[in-house]
Amino acid sequence: MATILRTIAEQALSRTTFSSLAMDRARDAAVDTIGCMIAGSSDESVAALTRAFDGEIAGGGQARLITGGSASPSLAALVNATAAHALDFDDNFHPARAHASAVLVPALLAVLTRGNAVSGKRFLEAYLTGLEAQATVGFGVNPSHYNRGWHATSTVGSIGAAAGVARLLGGDEESLAAAMSLATSFACGPKGQFGTSAKPLHAGIAARNAVDAARMALAGLSGRPDILERPQGFRDLFGGDDAKGWEGLALTEEHIIESRGVVTKRHPCCASTHRAIDALLDLKQEHGLLAADIARIETKVGISAARNLAYPEPTNEMQARFSMPYCLATAFLKGALSLSDFTRQQIERLEIRQFMPCIEMQSYSAEEERGVERLPHVVTVTTRDGRILSKSRLHAKGSLEAPMSVHEREVKFMDCLRWGNRNASGAAFLQLRTLADSENMSGDDFFWGLIADRQSP
């Protein structure tokens, strides 16, 4: 019987063509991630990495950096993926419980080295391979793996992305399986780091590991092809108490991006807040609510979401992204959240701090969650005149069920460019959307100029 890794590799390489829908969604995910990379390029977590590896960053490296200059593919993946996840504005992928694209896109970009001509089409096909691999790995261990406290971006994400990188580098079935097996040995990342700069670093580590594992596999290194399912393997050690394994896995002709999609973020903060934010904004609009009307706001979220949101009184911008009171208060008072709301100066605004104490959060019980993949997040508002208003959201804005329009994607992309000190031109967004038509991404001066060339302050 084929091992899980060989099954993933066989499925990946059997896909010689992809539907136009799958390619369009892959392009949208890549463009969104590039915007997030640019926005995160000046974050302190990224600045610290460039200081740490200052001697290895110059103009003569093989792979280009979001911060300017170049480095080895391994280091470029580390820096660029950390930037992609630094502001928590990058997409989510429910089948893997991971920030799939923040790992995949920078890892794939890192192996677009000078002299290695890769078309935009091949790049997107490799992305789709890595995404499907992440979904399949996640199938066997989630939600138990994630609920146990593992940051799946850095575990499942690393393993799946290794398959995508190996495909982009021309690997065969054996190489893809070996790359994923080696990446399993690199898997790491506790969710206890949420709210610190180690959290975006997890995406960087995962991308670096995916690049290293794929390059090692193509050079002849290998691990056990049954490392996911065997005793003392990934499921056994990382799966948690309720990991179901891969016995019920059914790989279909329809790609996972067609059936499930990725969730493009509308708000630059932890996704565990998003459904509550959307529900509260729905209530505000439907009932014309003002701050003076509010007596209490109660939220009910999943257990893992409540654990993720560990900062009821945040003291810095990173903690604020993982604070339900801060995110809900800011969204309600401003009507939206933007990157500018997550700075040290902004999180101390008096009106926000005075509003936050009326917000409470509770979680579902373990019994309520048992056997259910996904429960809605519920917001209940009690007004000063005694009304009780409630709204539930099973899906956040940006999901397949509540998609963002092209215009909304462009608005987000422009916000990212401005935050990253780039020229916020609509032409850049439109040109990136033709990524699939590029004949050689590694030699595309517009593409790399947009990524690395900062404007004057």
Side-chain angles (χ1 to χ4, degrees):
M1 181 178 176
T3 67
I4 304 305
L5 291 183
R6 290 195 185 281
T7 299
I8 295 172
E10 180 182 0
Q11 169 80 351
L13 295 183
S14 72
R15 292 192 185 276
T16 55
T17 60
F18 294 87
S19 71
S20 58
L21 177 62
M23 293 292 280
D24 285 349
R25 288 183 177 169
R27 173 209 61 204
D28 287 346
V31 172
D32 183 74
T33 306
I34 290 165
C36 293
M37 283 172 54
I38 291 170
S41 62
S42 298
D43 189 73
E44 177 52 34
S45 61
V46 179
L49 275 181
T50 58
R51 290 193 298 270
F53 295 100
D54 180 61
E56 299 170 49
I57 295 174
Q62 297 172 282
R64 299 188 230 199
L65 296 168
I66 192 71
T67 53
S70 57
S72 68
S74 178
L75 183 53
L78 176 70
V79 173
N80 292 347
T82 300
H85 194 41
L87 305 178
D88 235 291
F89 212 5
D90 52 298
D91 66 36
N92 288 95
F93 183 50
H94 293 314
R97 292 289 179 103
H99 291 269
S101 301
V103 178
L104 260 171
V105 173
L108 295 171
L109 289 175
V111 296
L112 295 181
T113 53
R114 292 181 174 89
N116 177 23
V118 173
S119 69
K121 180 174 179 289
R122 272 190 62 200
F123 180 89
L124 294 178
E125 289 172 347
Y127 171 89
L128 290 167
T129 292
L131 192 73
E132 187 167 45
Q134 287 192 37
T136 306
V137 174
F139 175 90
V141 295
N142 281 320
S144 183
H145 171 73
Y146 187 83
N147 291 343
R148 181 68 183 86
W150 290 106
H151 189 193
T153 298
S154 197
T155 53
V156 173
S158 175
I159 299 166
V165 175
R167 176 168 183 162
L168 191 62
L169 292 175
D172 58 14
E173 187 178 313
E174 193 77 21
S175 299
L176 264 68
M180 288 184 284
S181 180
L182 293 171
T184 304
S185 290
F186 297 155
C188 58
K191 287 203 296 172
Q193 296 282 29
F194 282 15
T196 75
S197 57
K199 203 259 190 176
L201 179 64
H202 287 176
I205 291 169
R208 180 191 65 189
N209 289 346
V211 167
D212 288 348
R215 296 175 78 197
M216 291 174 187
L218 267 70
L221 280 178
S222 62
R224 291 191 66 120
D226 63 348
I227 196 61
L228 293 187
E229 65 267 38
R230 76 180 312 274
Q232 296 186 315
F234 187 68
R235 176 194 170 188
D236 191 13
L237 298 177
F238 287 74
D241 296 333
D242 301 313
K244 60 184 180 291
W246 292 268
E247 188 174 334
L249 177 67
L251 297 174
T252 64
E253 185 176 339
E254 185 180 41
H255 193 277
I256 195 71
I257 205 169
E258 298 174 83
S259 59
R260 297 292 297 273
V262 298
V263 183
T264 306
K265 279 193 171 185
R266 180 188 187 186
H267 316 294
C269 50
C270 178
S272 295
T273 67
H274 284 213
R275 286 183 278 165
I277 293 169
D278 290 345
L280 181 60
L281 292 177
D282 287 344
L283 288 173
K284 179 180 181 179
Q285 182 177 13
E286 290 168 10
H287 299 278
L289 297 174
L290 302 173
D293 299 325
I294 306 299
R296 186 168 67 254
I297 298 173
E298 299 167 281
T299 67
K300 188 172 184 178
V301 302
I303 294 171
S304 63
R307 290 173 178 168
N308 292 345
L309 303 173
Y311 301 94
E313 297 182 5
T315 60
N316 59 51
E317 62 270 40
M318 185 62 78
Q319 291 181 9
R321 296 186 181 102
F322 294 84
S323 171
M324 183 68 88
Y326 179 79
C327 291
L328 281 186
T330 305
F332 185 87
L333 293 173
K334 293 190 64 181
L337 286 169
S338 68
L339 290 166
S340 62
D341 293 312
F342 295 91
T343 65
R344 288 183 181 267
Q345 180 179 3
Q346 291 300 310
I347 66 171
E348 295 300 334
R349 285 172 292 178
L350 183 60
E351 61 172 343
I352 301 294
R353 291 290 171 168
Q354 289 177 335
F355 195 78
M356 284 169 58
C358 77
I359 298 170
E360 302 172 10
M361 179 178 67
Q362 62 173 307
S363 71
Y364 287 98
S365 68
E367 187 59 34
E368 287 175 305
E369 287 198 350
R370 198 177 310 281
V372 182
E373 181 187 3
R374 192 171 177 79
L375 288 167
H377 287 185
V378 182
V379 172
T380 302
V381 173
T382 302
T383 65
R384 295 187 183 278
D385 61 10
R387 288 176 294 160
I388 298 177
L389 311 171
S390 186
K391 189 82 174 184
S392 65
R393 291 288 297 244
L394 184 60
H395 302 287
K397 178 71 174 179
S399 64
L400 203 60
E401 295 77 9
M404 291 173 65
S405 67
V406 174
H407 174 68
E408 287 170 327
R409 288 178 175 276
E410 182 176 3
V411 169
K412 174 182 175 178
F413 189 80
M414 293 299 104
D415 190 25
C416 287
L417 290 190
R418 283 188 289 269
W419 195 255
N421 199 26
R422 304 304 201 274
N423 180 21
S425 163
F429 177 75
L430 294 175
Q431 190 159 345
L432 275 183
R433 283 176 59 82
T434 67
L435 184 151
D437 299 326
S438 173
E439 295 183 1
N440 180 12
M441 285 183 63
S442 59
D444 191 328
D445 290 338
F446 165 79
F447 178 76
W448 291 106
L450 174 67
I451 284 180
D453 293 343
R454 284 188 173 88
Q455 304 299 309
S456 300

